[in-house]
Every structure is written in structure tokens, then in C-alpha cells.
């Protein structure tokens, strides 16, 4: 095994994709690669890093997310390790508190976007976790919601972070309960 050099941003997106998927879904590496706009080798390496970091079960054949570890990392580590700051105005896809489900509580102002020519919104640019995030989010509505919540954790004001934390924790807990057949 290669030397561990820490998590990469796409590892978080891969974990969120596993959380967003149905309980019966067994993913092949090439399917995850296609869904996340990554190469198969990047997916393989991401899975290995997530196992090493104890965010996935240690069994190489399993894609079981370690719920408590992932929740703790997202809430307490992610805002520091993969911090986000609002940038210049750009066209893009809404994220953070500007996207569902947080926009129902906070509205869309200020508007935050992942820069993307196909986007329909105009707002402060937020660098996505990796360049393929917008494409992955457009393929999976549930993943898009989770990515927007994670951006709220990375960027948001205290109240937005608190609501996003509750929703992320509920989604991960629900996924793990469903995966365990509860």
C-alpha cells in the first residue's frame, strides 16, 4: 500500500455518494467513477484513503460508511481541512444555503454558486470540493443536497451551520440504518 498522505476533497464526495445511494446498491468502482466524474484509479485510491482514515469499514469488499466517524469529520474537521470562502460573482449552480434544502429556511440571499457555464444562478463563487462536483450533482439530486449541506458547513454562518449539521447527521444516520436493515 502506498504511503498515506491524507484525505483529498474527492474522498468526501465519494463518501457522500455512498450515503446518497439506496441501501441495496452495491457499487462497482467504474460505476462510481462514472457517477463522480473521476477515473477508476482515483476511486480506488479514494476508497483506500477512506478505509485508512476509518471513514469506511476496513473490509476491502465493503462500502459501509462509518457513520459516527464521518459525521464527526464533516462537522468538526471539514470546515478547517477543506475551508471555503466566497469569491467573485459568477454564473453557476447554487450551493450552500442558497440550494435545497437550506434555501427553504434561509432564502437564496446571499447566493453562493459553484462556477459552471450551464448554471442558471448568479452569485458569489465557491470553489467546489473538486472540479467534477457540478457534473456529479447534476446526475444525483440526493448527492446534490448533501454537497450543498457540506458547503454550508464549510462556509456558512453559525445558524446555517447548525441547521446543515442536523440535516447531514440525519441523512447519514438514516442511510446507515437503512443499510443495516433497520
Amino acid at each position: 500500500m502506498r504511503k498515506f498522505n491524507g484525505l483529498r476533497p474527492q474522498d468526501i464526495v465519494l463518501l457522500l455518494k455512498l450515503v446518497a445511494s439506496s441501501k441495496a446498491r452495491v457499487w462497482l468502482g467504474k460505476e462510481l467513477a462514472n457517477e463522480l466524474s473521476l477515473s477508476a484509479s482515483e476511486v480506488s485510491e479514494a476508497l483506500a484513503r477512506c478505509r485508512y482514515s476509518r471513514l469506511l469499514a476496513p473490509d476491502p469488499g465493503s462500502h459501509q460508511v462509518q457513520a459516527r466517524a464521518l459525521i464527526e469529520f464533516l462537522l468538526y474537521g471539514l470546515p478547517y481541512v477543506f475551508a471555503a470562502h466566497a469569491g467573485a460573482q459568477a454564473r453557476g449552480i447554487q450551493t450552500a444555503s442558497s440550494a435545497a434544502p437550506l434555501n427553504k429556511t434561509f432564502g437564496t440571499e446571499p447566493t453562493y454558486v459553484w462556477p459552471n457555464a450551464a448554471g442558471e444562478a448568479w452569485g458569489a463563487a465557491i470553489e467546489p470540493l473538486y472540479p467534477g462536483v457540478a457534473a456529479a450533482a447534476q446526475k444525483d439530486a440526493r448527492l446534490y443536497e448533501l454537497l450543498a449541506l457540506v458547503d454550508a458547513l464549510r462556509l456558512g454562518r453559525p445558524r446555517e451551520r447548525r441547521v446543515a449539521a442536523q440535516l447531514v447527521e440525519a441523512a447519514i444516520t438514516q442511510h446507515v440504518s437503512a443499510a443495516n436493515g433497520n
Side-chain angles (χ1 to χ4, degrees):
M1 184 170 149
R2 286 192 213 178
K3 182 181 175 193
F4 178 72
N5 289 321
L7 289 173
R8 295 191 181 153
Q10 62 264 29
D11 301 349
I12 304 308
V13 179
L14 181 136
L15 290 165
L16 293 175
K17 179 64 177 178
L18 296 175
V19 168
S21 66
S22 65
K23 69 175 183 174
R25 181 70 195 233
V26 177
W27 288 98
L28 296 176
K30 64 182 179 180
E31 292 173 324
L32 279 170
N34 183 46
E35 288 289 313
L36 298 175
S37 299
L38 293 169
S39 71
S41 65
E42 286 176 307
V43 168
S44 177
E45 290 171 6
L47 290 168
R49 286 189 298 268
C50 290
R51 282 191 191 90
Y52 188 87
S53 300
R54 298 185 202 117
L55 296 173
L56 277 179
D59 175 22
S62 168
H63 293 147
Q64 182 182 359
V65 174
Q66 299 296 314
R68 191 78 249 148
L70 180 57
I71 290 167
E72 288 177 6
F73 179 75
L74 291 176
L75 299 184
Y76 305 114
L78 183 86
Y80 301 101
V81 177
F82 302 120
H85 300 281
Q89 295 291 303
R91 171 181 290 283
I93 299 170
Q94 292 178 312
T95 188
S97 59
S98 305
L102 293 178
N103 64 354
K104 296 172 187 149
T105 304
F106 301 107
T108 59
E109 295 296 327
T111 302
Y112 299 110
V113 299
W114 295 316
N116 186 298
E120 298 177 4
W122 185 258
I126 303 300
E127 184 178 348
L129 285 169
Y130 76 95
V133 162
Q138 289 174 325
K139 294 177 186 176
D140 183 343
R142 183 67 183 135
L143 176 62
Y144 176 40
E145 282 185 9
L146 290 171
L147 289 167
L149 290 171
V150 164
D151 277 352
L153 294 173
R154 294 170 60 210
L155 173 78
R157 295 173 290 218
R159 186 166 170 245
E160 294 165 353
R161 287 178 44 80
R162 188 171 47 254
V163 173
Q166 292 168 347
L167 294 171
V168 164
E169 189 165 358
I172 293 170
T173 304
Q174 178 183 2
H175 167 76
V176 171
S177 293
N180 293 333
N182 297 333

